[in-house]
Amino acid sequence: VVSHETKALRPLTRIGQRYCGDAPCVPQPKPPRMLPFLPPLVEELAPATAAPIEKAKALHPAFYCDSQYVQAERERIFGTQWFAACHSAELSKPGDVKVIEVGSNSIILTCDKTGKIHAFYNVCRHRGAKVCSSDQTGCKQLVCPYHWWAYRL
């Protein structure tokens, strides 16, 4: 809720979801999405790990340190699928705040005074500064370090 004292952070919405008034609009068909580039080394090493469990082998060390693979994994897995950001016990009390990094995005998870959990981009609407840098407990508001804009939980 926006007031004269505090401004609301921009809430997360599912990508591609649009609203007409209070109701969702009829979804428009999406064009087929091209998969990102997969490094050649991954294509060469992947079949051994995709075999049935009786014949599968451990991941090659390149899967853990190849920067191209990391980028492809972020785009193919984390960029297209839902995943668990944290356990609800980490946001069990009003004022609990957790900061998570998802690819190149920083997300703030909060528990408001009614116990409801919210997620926001970790960016101040005024100048784009990062609002929160670490997890907190008992927080009543988040304050942007740039111009001190305050966001109530």
Side-chain angles (χ1 to χ4, degrees):
V1 175
V2 178
S3 75
H4 67 283
E5 300 168 324
T6 61
K7 313 293 185 276
L9 293 171
R10 183 176 62 154
L12 292 173
T13 57
R14 289 188 69 178
I15 295 172
Q17 190 172 24
R18 297 181 307 157
Y19 287 88
C20 301
D22 291 332
C25 294
V26 176
Q28 301 297 317
K30 294 181 184 177
R33 185 170 170 233
M34 297 297 294
L35 290 174
F37 167 76
L38 190 62
L41 179 62
V42 173
E43 287 183 10
E44 178 185 325
L45 298 172
T49 61
I53 193 70
E54 302 82 31
K55 297 178 183 178
K57 297 182 181 176
L59 290 174
H60 189 276
F63 284 92
Y64 299 101
C65 60
D66 184 277
S67 61
Q68 288 182 323
Y69 176 75
V70 170
Q71 184 60 33
E73 184 178 64
R74 282 183 181 156
E75 292 173 6
R76 288 183 175 209
I77 297 172
F78 299 110
T80 62
Q81 304 294 321
W82 287 96
F83 67 97
C86 75
H87 193 279
S88 60
E90 296 179 75
L91 297 166
S92 61
K93 297 182 296 272
D96 285 351
V97 175
K98 181 156 183 72
V99 178
I100 61 167
E101 305 298 324
V102 182
S104 61
N105 293 314
S106 181
I107 308 294
I108 302 172
L109 304 173
T110 65
C111 181
D112 68 16
K113 61 185 173 187
T114 65
K116 189 173 178 186
I117 296 175
H118 302 274
F120 304 96
Y121 288 105
N122 190 4
V123 176
C124 178
R125 294 187 77 175
H126 179 235
R127 288 288 198 185
K130 197 174 202 177
V131 174
C132 192
S133 58
S134 63
D135 297 353
Q136 300 176 28
T137 57
C139 184
K140 294 194 184 310
Q141 65 182 9
L142 300 172
V143 180
C144 173
Y146 192 78
H147 278 140
W148 302 100
W149 277 30
Y151 300 92
R152 270 189 286 202
L153 297 185

